Amino acid sequence: MKYMVDSADVRAIKKINEYYPISGVTTNPSLVFEAGRDLKTLIREIREIIGPEKMLHVQTLSLKAKDIVAEAGRIVDFAGPNTYVKIPVTPEGMKAIMAVKAQGIGVTATAIFTPQQALMAATAGADFVAPYINRLDNIAVNGVEIAGQIADLLRTAGSPCEVLAASFNNIEQIHMTSLHGVGVVTISPKMFEKIIYHPLTDIAVEDFVAKGKDLYNI
Ligand code: E4P
């Protein structure tokens, strides 16, 4: 599994990057709004934290294809190598995905709620497609099933496009998503803390320390 952290909180990203095996960071305009920071400054700081090799997924805000393409170029200029431009799967977004890919820029198709949106974006050349699990669950559509269908469709089509499942509100959604053959998840910093927590692990460690503390003279 590739884990991404979904955040624009620089301190939280720094911590998660130290403690967990993340493949990179995803952001979106809402997260940037929460951080209340200028995008360019923020993205440069995140890149500094994660280094040049990890992925950084940064979303465009423009609505027209030609503006999205121009924005994508500006984003990769300041975000550095291994940057993927997130583009929502509107008609203008679809047109932009093809043009941005033609320039050799990595693309994550985002705001995906149906398998056909994902298939179309993958066919347009997107490197990743991002279905929103919890937002689907919120409208009584099984988000995990949708993500699983997308993974199956891409595998059957022999597509190199990867599913990057996003929008999680609990660990069960993440667990079921991984069982459905999805290879990449992006999750909030808080979720990272929860994902490996188990009280029995803490009890086991306390017991080991109590028993071994006078004998481990190493
Ligand atoms: C990431 O690509 C998405 O923008 C994000 O995960 C959406 O999550 P939310 O539904 O919690 O806002």
Side-chain angles (χ1 to χ4, degrees), residues 78-148:
F78 62 77
N82 285 317
T83 293
Y84 291 80
V85 177
K86 290 173 67 182
I87 302 176
V89 291
T90 59
E92 292 289 326
M94 213 57 84
K95 181 178 175 186
I97 289 172
M98 292 187 282
V100 169
K101 279 306 296 178
Q103 294 182 9
I105 296 173
V107 170
T108 296
T110 195
I112 288 181
F113 292 88
T114 75
Q116 288 305 316
Q117 288 177 320
L119 191 57
M120 183 76 83
T123 307
D127 301 278
F128 295 91
V129 284
Y132 286 9
I133 308 301
N134 192 57
R135 292 195 197 191
L136 280 162
D137 287 357
N138 282 345
I139 55 165
V141 177
N142 189 325
V144 165
E145 289 288 339
I146 297 293

Side-chain angles (χ1 to χ4, degrees), residues 28-30 58-64 67-68 71 75 86 88:
N28 66 40
S30 309
V58 184
Q59 194 159 326
T60 54
L61 202 57
S62 301
L63 301 177
K64 290 284 180 198
D67 300 330
I68 297 172
E71 204 184 332
I75 287 172
K86 290 173 67 182

Side-chain angles (χ1 to χ4, degrees), residues 4 14 18 24 37 49-51 65 68 75 80 96-97 111-112 114 128-129 131 133 139 153 190-192 195:
M4 309 282 294
K14 195 168 189 311
E18 279 172 24
R37 313 259 328 267
I49 292 166
I50 64 174
I68 297 172
I75 287 172
I97 289 172
I112 288 181
T114 75
F128 295 91
V129 284
I133 308 301
I139 55 165
L153 277 173
K190 270 194 190 138
M191 207 72 79
F192 271 93
I195 206 165

Side-chain angles (χ1 to χ4, degrees), residues 9-195:
D9 177 339
V10 168
R11 279 176 58 183
I13 292 169
K14 195 168 189 311
K15 182 175 178 195
I16 298 298
N17 191 47
E18 279 172 24
Y19 280 78
Y20 299 95
I22 61 165
S23 298
V25 175
T26 60
T27 60
N28 66 40
S30 309
L31 294 169
V32 173
F33 174 77
E34 272 172 37
R37 313 259 328 267
D38 168 70
L39 179 74
K40 201 191 279 189
T41 316
L42 185 61
I43 294 300
R44 282 187 176 141
E45 279 180 33
I46 295 173
R47 177 54 82 192
E48 182 81 20
I49 292 166
I50 64 174
E53 274 154 31
K54 291 188 179 178
M55 294 187 284
L56 184 43
H57 296 232
V58 184
Q59 194 159 326
T60 54
L61 202 57
S62 301
L63 301 177
K64 290 284 180 198
K66 72 169 178 25
D67 300 330
I68 297 172
V69 175
E71 204 184 332
R74 292 195 293 275
I75 287 172
V76 290
D77 277 349
F78 62 77
N82 285 317
T83 293
Y84 291 80
V85 177
K86 290 173 67 182
I87 302 176
V89 291
T90 59
E92 292 289 326
M94 213 57 84
K95 181 178 175 186
I97 289 172
M98 292 187 282
V100 169
K101 279 306 296 178
Q103 294 182 9
I105 296 173
V107 170
T108 296
T110 195
I112 288 181
F113 292 88
T114 75
Q116 288 305 316
Q117 288 177 320
L119 191 57
M120 183 76 83
T123 307
D127 301 278
F128 295 91
V129 284
Y132 286 9
I133 308 301
N134 192 57
R135 292 195 197 191
L136 280 162
D137 287 357
N138 282 345
I139 55 165
V141 177
N142 189 325
V144 165
E145 289 288 339
I146 297 293
Q149 285 180 19
I150 294 169
D152 286 347
L153 277 173
L154 296 182
R155 248 191 310 274
T156 306
S159 171
C161 181
E162 294 183 70
V163 183
L164 191 176
S167 177
F168 291 102
N169 199 36
N170 60 59
I171 306 306
E172 177 67 358
Q173 289 168 334
I174 297 171
H175 176 56
M176 293 309 290
T177 296
S178 51
L179 279 178
H180 278 69
V182 169
V184 196
V185 289
T186 187
I187 56 183
S188 68
K190 270 194 190 138
M191 207 72 79
F192 271 93
E193 310 279 337
K194 287 186 186 156
I195 206 165

